[in-house]
Each structure stands twice: as structure tokens, then as C-alpha cells.
Amino acid sequence: MNIERRVVAITGAGNGIGAALAREAANRGAAAIAVIDLDLDAARRVANEVSAAGTPAQSYQCDVADSDALDEVAGRVVSDFDAPALVRANAGVGSEVKPLLAESPANLKWILSVNVVGAWATLSAFGRRMIAAEEPGWLLVTASEHSLGVPFPGNGFYTMSKHAVLALADVMRHELPPHVGISALLPGLVATAFSRSTTRRPAEFGGPGAENETARALLAQGMDPAIVARAAFDGVHAEEFLIATHAHARRYWQQRCTDIDQAFTVLAEGEIGSVSYDVMEIAARLAAPGSQ
């Protein structure tokens, strides 16, 4: 998928990976870049930086958890530029590190509203317009190493949300028409201000929390966002579904695969054995002539 001389739209683009993606899109010859963020001032700074370097860019303020607002922004982007060739659903939040049984329903709703509903709303609002444009396009969603397993306990709501994001992308790749593809980015630790996300939690979800200093120190040791952005665009160019950026994350998936393999080994040795109840196989049998 080639973005040269095409429009790119990125959510969560006011800082971190999103801002790096905006800069990399400009480096790769994008015609224009829509910089979308909850923080309009941050979005403006990135858009102004990209524009000053020679690529037209426009900032847009939006809470991705508000699907109606996001749909309106998508319409404005198409009106201001054109249907994007690449849409990057990057906005996401995390929260305080604590065990799941010590968590609150309000915090769960906040994380899911941004990380899951926001990802779906972004892909939906732009994806429908990309499909209608009938031009080659690509969707890119930020999953995480947390989509592959459990890197560490204590961040359960974030981990479950990123499992959901990977599932969202996986289902969508089977539903999209041939001219629109999708990738899921799987970053690990990246040097961003992600630890500050709790400080912006709305009152309806429990209000702002303090930045975790340990998390801040850990993030400072992470990968340069510019490296992640280059890997993301390389993966999109190669039309890869999963785009890995951190080699250590492979072991989270390997542990999951080991657990799954063990479960099915036990199943095969038991009473149920290998009898198949595959829904698609059964549906095909029911749909076959003379099956009724």
C-alpha cells in the first residue's frame, strides 16, 4: 500500500507514536495529513510542524470515544482534503497499576470507551468513506504487545482492551472489500508520555489520577517513537496484517500458544476427541442442496 500523494488521517496524533506517524507520513510523500487529537493545542503543534516542513496538515479536536463526533470529523477531513488512503486508529489510554479485583467499573468503562469503542469508531467512520471512494486504502490500528498475552499483571483493563482491539482488526480483515486492507501494530515499551493519560480521565469515569512515576521512568527507557512509526509504515507498505516492533513480545504469544496446545492435547485424549462442531462447516452442510 503506497501513501505517496495520498491523504493520511491519524488519531491520537498530538504526541508520542501518533505524532511520529504524522512526521513519517510526511517523510513518505503524503499529500496531506489530518492530525486528530483530544488535545487541540497538541494537534495544532504537530500540524504546524508538518506544514512548515512542506506537507499540508490540518488539526482536528475529537474525543474518539464519541462516535458521532468522530463521524463528523471524518466528514470534515474528506471535505477538506479527500478520502484518506491510510487511517491510523492510534488514540489510547492506560491507568493506574492495580489488581483487577481492586479496580472500579468506572475505570473499566473509560478504558474500553477509548481503546475499544474509539478504535471501532475510527475504523467505522473513515472505513465506510474509504469503501465508498473505491480507491485503494488501508486501516492501521494500534494494538499492543498486550494483545498477544500478559506482559505483566496489574494492568488488566488495558490488557483486555488490547486483546479486543486485535480481535476487532482480525474480524474486520475478513469483512473489508478487496480494495481496503487493515493492519494491527503491536508495540511494546515506547518513549512517550503515555503515563499521563490517567491525568486526563473525565470526572464521569472517576476523574483525573496522578501520573505514576515508575511508569514514567520505564517509558523513558522505551523505543524511540520514530522507529515505531517507520516500522508501521514499512508494514503497511508490505500489506502485513500484524506489524511487530519489539522482539521480546514474541514470548508472550509463545506462552499463549503453549497453553492452547496443551488444552487441545488434553481434549484429543478425552471423550470428546476430535469431533468437529465448526460453525462454518455445519452451515455449509445445512446450505447444501438436499440437506433439509
Side-chain angles (χ1 to χ4, degrees):
M1 175 65 203
N2 189 359
I3 67 159
E4 192 172 357
R5 296 188 296 276
R6 302 286 304 280
V7 177
V8 174
I10 306 165
T11 66
N15 57 73
I17 296 174
L21 287 163
R23 298 182 187 105
E24 186 63 21
N27 292 340
R28 300 202 180 205
I33 302 168
V35 181
I36 306 165
D37 202 278
L38 179 64
D39 183 341
L40 182 57
D41 288 338
R44 282 174 175 159
R45 285 193 293 272
V46 174
N48 289 341
E49 175 191 341
V50 170
S51 294
T55 301
Q58 177 65 46
S59 57
Y60 302 84
Q61 193 279 333
C62 188
D63 178 356
V64 297
D66 184 340
S67 58
D68 291 336
L70 192 47
D71 192 66
E72 188 269 335
V73 166
R76 286 169 54 200
V77 170
V78 173
S79 177
D80 291 343
F81 298 118
D82 196 353
L86 173 66
V87 173
R88 177 70 156 80
N90 175 71
V93 295
S95 66
E96 303 90 346
V97 175
K98 62 175 64 175
L100 280 172
L101 298 184
E103 271 287 9
S104 70
N107 200 38
L108 173 61
K109 291 176 183 177
W110 177 55
I111 291 176
L112 294 182
S113 71
V114 177
N115 294 1
V116 182
V117 176
W120 169 82
T122 302
L123 301 178
S124 175
F126 284 99
R128 287 182 284 107
R129 290 170 168 86
M130 293 164 72
I131 290 170
E134 298 184 347
E135 293 288 337
W138 208 266
L139 301 168
L140 175 61
V141 63
T142 299
S144 167
E145 65 179 14
H146 284 259
S147 303
L148 303 176
V150 182
F152 53 86
N155 208 3
F157 286 169
Y158 181 78
T159 301
M160 65 187 286
S161 76
K162 290 303 182 177
H163 274 62
V165 169
L166 180 55
L168 170 68
D170 205 1
V171 172
M172 193 166 285
R173 70 166 165 159
H174 294 285
E175 297 178 343
L176 289 167
H179 69 283
V180 179
I182 188 167
S183 298
L185 186 67
L186 305 170
L189 195 69
V190 182
T192 69
F194 188 69
S195 58
R196 298 179 193 165
S197 59
T198 304
T199 66
R200 299 191 296 272
R201 183 171 49 207
E204 64 185 293
F205 298 117
E211 181 178 12
N212 184 290
E213 290 301 314
T214 300
R216 184 184 64 78
L218 284 168
L219 285 164
Q221 303 301 310
M223 184 179 287
D224 184 340
I227 297 175
V228 177
R230 289 196 293 271
F233 276 97
D234 287 346
V236 168
H237 185 76
E239 301 187 355
E240 298 170 352
F241 172 57
L242 296 178
I243 303 172
T245 59
H246 290 61
H248 72 269
R250 178 192 290 263
R251 65 176 177 263
Y252 308 140
W253 179 248
Q254 288 174 331
Q255 181 59 57
R256 174 65 54 80
C257 289
T258 297
D259 294 340
I260 293 172
D261 188 62
Q262 174 62 21
F264 282 99
T265 297
V266 172
L267 175 66
E269 296 171 350
E271 177 185 357
I272 298 173
S274 59
V275 177
S276 176
Y277 292 89
D278 183 283
V279 171
M280 296 303 292
E281 292 176 0
I282 294 171
R285 289 202 303 268
L286 292 175
S291 62
Q292 301 298 324

